[in-house]
Coordinates of all heavy atoms in Angstrom, one line a residue:
A1385 N -33.3 -77.8 143.4 CA -34.4 -78.0 144.4 C -34.6 -79.5 144.7 O -34.9 -79.9 145.9 CB -35.8 -77.4 143.6
R1386 N -34.3 -80.4 143.8 CA -34.4 -81.8 144.0 C -33.3 -82.2 145.0 O -33.7 -83.1 146.0 CB -34.4 -82.6 142.6 CG -34.5 -84.1 142.9 CD -34.4 -84.9 141.7 NE -33.0 -84.6 140.9 CZ -31.9 -85.4 141.3 NH1 -32.1 -86.3 142.2 NH2 -30.8 -85.1 140.7
E1387 N -32.2 -81.8 144.8 CA -31.0 -82.1 145.8 C -31.3 -81.6 147.1 O -30.9 -82.2 148.0 CB -29.8 -81.5 145.2 CG -29.3 -82.3 143.9 CD -28.7 -83.6 144.2 OE1 -28.5 -84.1 145.3 OE2 -28.6 -84.5 143.1
M1388 N -32.0 -80.4 147.2 CA -32.2 -79.9 148.5 C -33.1 -80.7 149.3 O -33.1 -80.9 150.4 CB -32.7 -78.4 148.3 CG -33.1 -77.6 149.6 SD -31.7 -77.5 150.8 CE -30.9 -76.2 150.0
W1389 N -34.2 -81.1 148.5 CA -35.3 -82.0 149.1 C -34.6 -83.2 149.6 O -35.0 -83.7 150.7 CB -36.3 -82.3 148.1 CG -37.5 -83.2 148.5 CD1 -38.6 -82.7 149.2 CD2 -37.6 -84.6 148.7 NE1 -39.4 -83.7 149.6 CE2 -38.7 -84.9 149.2 CE3 -36.8 -85.6 148.2 CZ2 -39.2 -86.2 149.4 CZ3 -37.1 -86.8 148.4 CH2 -38.3 -87.3 149.0
E1390 N -33.6 -83.9 148.8 CA -33.0 -85.0 149.2 C -32.2 -85.0 150.6 O -32.1 -85.8 151.3 CB -32.1 -85.7 148.0 CG -33.0 -86.2 146.8 CD -32.2 -86.7 145.8 OE1 -30.9 -86.4 145.8 OE2 -32.8 -87.3 144.8
M1391 N -31.6 -83.8 150.6 CA -30.8 -83.4 151.7 C -31.6 -83.2 152.9 O -31.1 -83.7 153.9 CB -29.8 -82.0 151.3 CG -28.9 -81.7 152.5 SD -27.6 -83.1 152.6 CE -26.8 -82.4 154.2
E1392 N -32.7 -82.6 152.8 CA -33.5 -82.4 154.0 C -34.2 -83.8 154.4 O -34.5 -84.0 155.6 CB -34.7 -81.4 153.7 CG -34.0 -79.9 153.5 CD -35.2 -79.1 153.0 OE1 -36.3 -79.3 152.5 OE2 -34.8 -77.8 153.0
N1393 N -34.5 -84.6 153.5 CA -35.2 -85.8 153.8 C -34.3 -87.0 153.8 O -34.7 -88.1 154.5 CB -36.1 -86.2 152.7 CG -37.3 -85.2 152.8 OD1 -38.4 -85.3 153.4 ND2 -37.2 -84.2 151.9
N1394 N -33.2 -87.0 153.5 CA -32.2 -88.2 153.4 C -30.8 -87.7 153.6 O -30.0 -88.0 152.7 CB -32.4 -89.1 152.4 CG -31.5 -90.4 152.4 OD1 -31.2 -90.8 153.5 ND2 -31.2 -90.9 151.2
P1395 N -30.4 -86.9 154.6 CA -29.1 -86.3 154.7 C -28.0 -87.4 154.7 O -26.9 -87.2 154.1 CB -29.2 -85.5 155.8 CG -30.3 -86.0 156.7 CD -31.3 -86.6 155.7
E1396 N -28.2 -88.7 155.4 CA -27.2 -89.5 155.6 C -26.8 -90.1 154.3 O -25.7 -90.2 153.9 CB -27.7 -90.7 156.5 CG -27.8 -90.2 157.9 CD -29.1 -89.6 158.1 OE1 -30.0 -89.5 157.1 OE2 -29.5 -89.1 159.2
G1397 N -27.8 -90.4 153.3 CA -27.6 -90.9 152.1 C -26.8 -90.0 151.1 O -26.0 -90.4 150.4
E1398 N -27.2 -88.7 151.2 CA -26.4 -87.7 150.4 C -25.1 -87.5 150.8 O -24.1 -87.3 150.1 CB -27.3 -86.3 150.5 CG -28.6 -86.3 149.9 CD -28.6 -86.7 148.4 OE1 -27.9 -86.1 147.6 OE2 -29.2 -87.7 148.0
I1399 N -24.9 -87.4 152.2 CA -23.4 -87.3 152.7 C -22.6 -88.6 152.3 O -21.5 -88.4 151.9 CB -23.6 -87.2 154.2 CG1 -24.1 -85.8 154.6 CG2 -22.1 -87.5 154.8 CD1 -24.3 -85.7 156.1
Q1400 N -23.2 -89.8 152.3 CA -22.5 -90.9 151.9 C -22.2 -91.0 150.4 O -21.1 -91.4 150.0 CB -23.3 -92.2 152.2 CG -22.6 -93.5 152.0 CD -21.3 -93.8 152.6 OE1 -21.2 -93.4 153.9 NE2 -20.3 -94.2 152.0
E1401 N -23.1 -90.4 149.5 CA -22.7 -90.2 148.1 C -21.5 -89.3 147.8 O -20.7 -89.7 147.1 CB -23.9 -89.7 147.5 CG -25.0 -90.6 147.3 CD -26.2 -90.1 146.4 OE1 -26.1 -88.9 146.0 OE2 -27.3 -90.8 146.3
M1402 N -21.6 -88.2 148.7 CA -20.5 -87.3 148.5 C -19.1 -87.8 148.9 O -18.0 -87.6 148.4 CB -20.8 -86.0 149.3 CG -21.7 -85.2 148.4 SD -21.3 -84.7 146.8 CE -20.0 -83.5 147.1
I1403 N -19.2 -88.6 150.0 CA -17.9 -89.3 150.6 C -17.4 -90.2 149.5 O -16.1 -90.2 149.2 CB -18.2 -90.0 151.9 CG1 -18.5 -89.2 153.0 CG2 -17.1 -91.0 152.2 CD1 -19.0 -89.7 154.3
E1404 N -18.3 -91.0 148.8 CA -17.8 -91.9 147.8 C -17.2 -91.2 146.7 O -16.2 -91.7 146.0 CB -19.0 -92.9 147.4 CG -19.5 -93.7 148.4 CD -20.6 -94.6 148.1 OE1 -21.3 -94.2 146.9 OE2 -21.1 -95.3 148.9
I1405 N -17.8 -90.1 146.3 CA -17.4 -89.2 145.2 C -16.0 -88.7 145.5 O -15.0 -88.8 144.7 CB -18.3 -88.1 144.8 CG1 -19.5 -88.6 144.2 CG2 -17.5 -87.1 143.8 CD1 -20.5 -87.6 144.0
F1406 N -15.7 -88.2 146.7 CA -14.5 -87.7 147.1 C -13.4 -88.8 147.2 O -12.2 -88.7 146.9 CB -14.5 -87.0 148.4 CG -14.8 -85.6 148.3 CD1 -15.8 -85.1 147.4 CD2 -14.1 -84.5 148.9 CE1 -16.3 -83.8 147.4 CE2 -14.5 -83.1 148.8 CZ -15.5 -82.7 147.9
E1407 N -13.8 -90.0 147.6 CA -12.9 -91.2 147.6 C -12.4 -91.5 146.1 O -11.3 -91.8 145.9 CB -13.6 -92.4 148.2 CG -13.7 -92.1 149.7 CD -14.5 -93.5 150.4 OE1 -15.0 -94.2 149.6 OE2 -14.3 -93.6 151.6
E1408 N -13.4 -91.5 145.2 CA -13.1 -91.7 143.8 C -12.0 -90.7 143.3 O -11.3 -91.0 142.3 CB -14.3 -91.6 142.9 CG -15.2 -92.8 143.3 CD -16.6 -92.8 142.4 OE1 -16.6 -91.7 141.8 OE2 -17.5 -93.5 142.4
K1409 N -11.9 -89.6 143.9 CA -11.1 -88.5 143.4 C -9.8 -88.6 144.2 O -8.8 -87.7 143.9 CB -11.6 -87.1 143.6 CG -12.9 -86.9 142.7 CD -13.4 -85.4 142.9 CE -14.5 -85.3 141.9 NZ -14.1 -85.4 140.5
G1410 N -9.6 -89.5 144.9 CA -8.2 -89.8 145.5 C -8.1 -89.6 147.0 O -7.1 -90.1 147.6
L1411 N -9.2 -89.1 147.7 CA -8.9 -88.9 149.2 C -9.2 -90.4 149.9 O -10.0 -91.1 149.5 CB -10.0 -87.9 149.7 CG -9.6 -86.4 149.7 CD1 -9.5 -86.0 148.2 CD2 -10.7 -85.7 150.5
S1412 N -8.6 -90.4 151.1 CA -8.9 -91.5 151.9 C -10.2 -91.5 152.5 O -10.9 -90.5 152.5 CB -7.9 -91.7 152.9 OG -7.9 -90.6 153.8
H1413 N -10.7 -92.6 153.0 CA -12.1 -92.6 153.6 C -12.2 -91.7 154.8 O -13.2 -91.0 154.9 CB -12.5 -94.0 154.0 CG -13.8 -94.2 154.6 ND1 -14.9 -94.1 153.8 CD2 -14.1 -94.3 156.0 CE1 -16.0 -94.1 154.7 NE2 -15.6 -94.3 155.9
E1414 N -11.1 -91.7 155.5 CA -11.1 -90.8 156.7 C -11.2 -89.3 156.4 O -11.9 -88.5 156.8 CB -9.8 -91.2 157.6 CG -9.9 -92.4 158.3 CD -9.7 -93.6 157.3 OE1 -9.1 -93.3 156.2 OE2 -9.8 -94.8 157.6
D1415 N -10.2 -89.0 155.4 CA -10.2 -87.4 154.9 C -11.5 -87.1 154.3 O -11.9 -86.0 154.5 CB -8.9 -87.4 154.0 CG -7.8 -87.4 154.7 OD1 -7.6 -87.3 156.0 OD2 -6.7 -87.6 154.0
A1416 N -12.0 -88.0 153.4 CA -13.3 -87.6 152.7 C -14.4 -87.5 153.7 O -15.2 -86.5 153.6 CB -13.6 -88.7 151.8
T1417 N -14.4 -88.4 154.7 CA -15.5 -88.3 155.7 C -15.4 -87.0 156.5 O -16.4 -86.4 156.7 CB -15.5 -89.4 156.6 OG1 -15.6 -90.7 155.9 CG2 -16.6 -89.4 157.6
T1418 N -14.2 -86.8 156.9 CA -14.0 -85.5 157.7 C -14.4 -84.2 156.9 O -15.0 -83.4 157.5 CB -12.5 -85.4 158.2 OG1 -12.2 -86.5 158.9 CG2 -12.2 -84.1 158.9
A1419 N -14.0 -84.2 155.6 CA -14.3 -83.0 154.9 C -15.8 -82.9 154.5 O -16.3 -81.8 154.7 CB -13.4 -83.0 153.4
I1420 N -16.4 -83.9 154.2 CA -17.8 -83.8 153.9 C -18.7 -83.6 155.1 O -19.7 -82.8 155.0 CB -18.2 -85.2 153.2 CG1 -17.6 -85.5 151.9 CG2 -19.7 -85.4 153.1 CD1 -17.8 -84.4 150.9
L1421 N -18.3 -84.1 156.2 CA -19.1 -84.0 157.4 C -19.0 -82.4 157.9 O -20.0 -81.8 158.3 CB -18.6 -84.8 158.6 CG -19.0 -86.2 158.6 CD1 -18.4 -87.1 159.7 CD2 -20.5 -86.3 158.4
A1422 N -17.8 -81.8 157.6 CA -17.6 -80.3 157.9 C -18.4 -79.7 156.9 O -19.1 -78.6 157.4 CB -16.1 -80.1 157.7
M1423 N -18.4 -79.9 155.7 CA -19.1 -79.1 154.8 C -20.6 -79.2 154.8 O -21.4 -78.3 154.4 CB -18.6 -79.3 153.3 CG -17.1 -78.9 153.0 SD -16.6 -79.1 151.4 CE -16.3 -80.9 151.2
S1424 N -21.1 -80.4 155.2 CA -22.5 -80.7 155.3 C -23.2 -79.8 156.3 O -24.4 -79.7 156.4 CB -22.8 -82.1 155.5 OG -22.3 -82.5 156.7
K1425 N -22.5 -79.2 157.3 CA -23.0 -78.3 158.3 C -23.7 -77.2 157.6 O -24.5 -76.5 158.3 CB -21.9 -77.9 159.4 CG -21.4 -79.2 160.1 CD -20.4 -78.8 161.1 CE -19.7 -79.9 161.9 NZ -18.7 -79.5 162.9
N1426 N -23.1 -76.7 156.5 CA -23.8 -75.6 155.8 C -24.6 -76.2 154.6 O -24.0 -76.5 153.6 CB -22.7 -74.6 155.3 CG -23.3 -73.4 154.5 OD1 -24.4 -73.3 154.0 ND2 -22.6 -72.3 154.7
K1427 N -25.9 -76.2 154.9 CA -26.8 -77.1 153.8 C -26.7 -76.4 152.4 O -26.6 -77.1 151.5 CB -28.2 -77.0 154.4 CG -29.2 -77.9 153.6 CD -30.5 -77.9 154.2 CE -30.4 -78.5 155.6 NZ -31.8 -78.7 156.2
E1428 N -26.9 -75.1 152.4 CA -27.0 -74.3 151.2 C -25.6 -74.6 150.4 O -25.5 -75.0 149.2 CB -27.2 -72.9 151.3 CG -28.5 -72.5 151.9 CD -29.6 -72.7 151.0 OE1 -29.4 -72.7 149.7 OE2 -30.7 -73.0 151.3
F1429 N -24.5 -74.4 151.0 CA -23.2 -74.7 150.4 C -23.0 -76.2 149.9 O -22.4 -76.5 149.0 CB -22.0 -74.3 151.3 CG -20.7 -74.8 151.0 CD1 -20.0 -74.0 150.0 CD2 -20.1 -75.9 151.5 CE1 -18.7 -74.4 149.6 CE2 -18.8 -76.2 151.1 CZ -18.1 -75.5 150.1
F1430 N -23.5 -77.1 150.9 CA -23.4 -78.5 150.5 C -24.2 -79.0 149.3 O -23.8 -79.7 148.5 CB -23.7 -79.4 151.8 CG -23.5 -80.8 151.7 CD1 -22.1 -81.2 151.7 CD2 -24.4 -81.7 151.5 CE1 -21.7 -82.5 151.5 CE2 -24.1 -83.1 151.4 CZ -22.8 -83.5 151.4
V1431 N -25.3 -78.3 149.2 CA -26.2 -78.7 148.0 C -25.5 -78.1 146.8 O -25.6 -78.7 145.7 CB -27.6 -78.0 148.1 CG1 -28.4 -78.0 146.9 CG2 -28.4 -78.7 149.4
D1432 N -24.8 -76.9 146.8 CA -24.2 -76.4 145.6 C -23.0 -77.4 145.4 O -22.7 -77.5 144.2 CB -23.7 -75.0 145.9 CG -25.0 -74.0 145.9 OD1 -26.0 -74.3 145.4 OD2 -24.7 -72.9 146.4
L1433 N -22.5 -77.9 146.5 CA -21.3 -78.7 146.3 C -21.7 -80.0 145.5 O -21.0 -80.5 144.6 CB -20.6 -79.1 147.5 CG -19.3 -79.7 147.6 CD1 -18.2 -78.8 147.1 CD2 -18.9 -80.4 148.9
M1434 N -22.9 -80.6 145.8 CA -23.4 -81.7 145.3 C -23.7 -81.5 143.8 O -23.6 -82.2 142.9 CB -24.6 -82.2 146.0 CG -24.4 -82.9 147.3 SD -25.9 -83.6 148.0 CE -26.9 -82.3 148.3
M1435 N -24.2 -80.3 143.5 CA -24.6 -79.9 142.2 C -23.3 -80.0 141.3 O -23.3 -80.5 140.2 CB -25.2 -78.5 142.1 CG -26.6 -78.4 142.7 SD -27.8 -79.0 141.6 CE -27.7 -78.1 140.1
A1436 N -22.2 -79.5 141.9 CA -20.9 -79.5 141.0 C -20.3 -80.8 140.9 O -19.8 -81.2 139.9 CB -20.0 -78.4 141.8
F1437 N -20.2 -81.5 142.0 CA -19.4 -82.8 141.9 C -20.3 -84.0 141.5 O -19.7 -84.9 141.0 CB -18.9 -83.0 143.3 CG -17.6 -82.3 143.7 CD1 -17.7 -80.9 144.3 CD2 -16.4 -82.6 143.3 CE1 -16.5 -80.3 144.5 CE2 -15.3 -81.9 143.5 CZ -15.3 -80.6 144.1
E1438 N -21.6 -84.0 141.9 CA -22.4 -85.1 141.6 C -23.1 -84.9 140.2 O -23.2 -85.9 139.5 CB -23.4 -85.2 142.7 CG -24.4 -86.4 142.5 CD -25.4 -86.6 143.6 OE1 -25.3 -86.0 144.6 OE2 -26.4 -87.5 143.3
L1439 N -23.7 -83.8 140.0 CA -24.4 -83.6 138.8 C -23.6 -82.7 137.7 O -24.0 -82.7 136.6 CB -25.7 -82.9 139.0 CG -26.7 -83.5 140.1 CD1 -27.9 -82.7 140.3 CD2 -26.9 -84.9 139.5
E1440 N -22.5 -82.3 138.1 CA -21.6 -81.4 137.3 C -22.4 -80.2 136.6 O -22.4 -80.0 135.3 CB -21.1 -82.3 136.2 CG -20.0 -83.3 136.7 CD -19.4 -84.2 135.7 OE1 -19.7 -84.0 134.4 OE2 -18.4 -85.0 136.0
L1441 N -23.2 -79.6 137.4 CA -24.1 -78.6 137.0 C -23.6 -77.3 137.7 O -23.2 -77.3 138.9 CB -25.5 -78.7 137.2 CG -26.2 -79.9 136.2 CD1 -27.6 -80.1 136.7 CD2 -26.1 -79.5 134.9

Side-chain angles (χ1 to χ4, degrees):
R1386 182 179 63 81
E1387 290 292 342
M1388 179 63 75
W1389 183 89
E1390 292 179 353
M1391 183 62 185
E1392 291 175 347
N1393 291 272
N1394 184 26
E1396 295 82 5
E1398 295 301 303
I1399 290 173
Q1400 183 58 39
E1401 286 183 6
M1402 289 299 294
I1403 291 175
E1404 293 174 357
I1405 291 175
F1406 272 49
E1407 287 178 345
E1408 292 176 356
K1409 294 186 177 296
L1411 271 70
S1412 65
H1413 179 74
E1414 293 75 15
D1415 290 341
T1417 301
T1418 301
I1420 294 301
L1421 289 178
M1423 290 185 287
S1424 64
K1425 295 178 181 179
N1426 186 327
K1427 187 178 298 183
E1428 294 289 334
F1429 171 76
F1430 190 68
V1431 170
D1432 289 341
L1433 193 71
M1434 288 192 293
M1435 290 287 292
F1437 283 90
E1438 182 179 347
L1439 302 180
E1440 298 182 351
L1441 292 175

